[in-house]
């Protein structure tokens, strides 16, 4: 599947905590699904993800074993956003024209898969980093 096909398939799909299907995703589920469907890369299921462990702990553990940090925006890279204390809060996928495909939401208000510019999303967070899959 091409990146454009994936975007068209997923845009507007609902945010559901701990979901990773074409019908509903959270931010991690969207990244996992993208890597599988567009790049043919099977990411391991993050330890504690389905059990509801805190996102920042899962992110820190998984980035050490599955991802390596790259310096700048790269199409297909995972982008991570951090709060004021440098705690990872949200992830998405870098897509064309300095855009990020991401699923943002919460249990109370729901949410959906959207595309925003990297600069617009960066204004909502303290810092940003980019990662590629190790041996992906």
């Amino acid at each position: 599947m091409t990146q454009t096909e994936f975007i068209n398939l997923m845009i507007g799909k609902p945010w559901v905590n701990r979901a990773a299907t074409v019908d509903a995703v959270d931010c991690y589920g969207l990244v996992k699904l993208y890597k599988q469907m567009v790049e043919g890369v099977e990411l391991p299921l993050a330890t504690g993800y389905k059990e509801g462990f805190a996102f920042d702990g899962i992110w820190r553990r998984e980035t050490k074993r599955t991802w390596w940090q790259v310096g700048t925006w790269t199409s297909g890279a995972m982008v991570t956003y951090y709060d004021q204390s440098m705690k990872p809060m949200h992830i998405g996928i870098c897509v064309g024209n300095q855009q990020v495909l991401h699923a943002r939401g919460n249990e109370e208000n729901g949410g959906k898969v959207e595309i925003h510019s990297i600069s617009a999303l960066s204004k909502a967070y303290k810092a940003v980093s980019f990662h590629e899959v190790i041996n992906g």
Side-chain angles (χ1 to χ4, degrees), residues 61-130:
R61 186 174 45 255
E62 292 306 310
T63 54
K64 288 179 182 172
R65 72 179 196 168
T66 308
W67 302 87
W68 57 278
Q69 190 167 348
V70 294
T72 60
W73 184 97
T74 304
S75 185
M78 176 180 73
V79 58
T80 302
Y81 293 97
Y82 304 85
D83 68 8
Q84 297 292 345
S85 66
M86 295 306 290
K87 178 179 172 182
M89 299 300 294
H90 186 52
I91 60 174
I93 288 289
C94 296
V95 295
N97 299 322
Q98 300 289 306
Q99 304 277 323
V100 175
L101 180 69
H102 64 114
R104 184 168 50 178
N106 60 51
E107 296 282 346
E108 189 174 300
N109 300 315
K112 63 183 177 181
V113 176
E114 300 176 302
I115 293 180
H116 290 101
S117 70
I118 189 78
S119 60
L121 280 171
S122 295
K123 290 176 184 174
Y125 296 93
K126 167 76 174 160
V128 62
S129 65
F130 303 93

Side-chain angles (χ1 to χ4, degrees), residues 28 32 41-47 49 58 62 65-67 133:
Y28 175 78
K32 185 171 179 5
V41 175
E42 287 291 335
L43 296 176
L45 185 60
T47 304
Y49 175 69
I58 293 169
E62 292 306 310
R65 72 179 196 168
T66 308
W67 302 87
V133 175

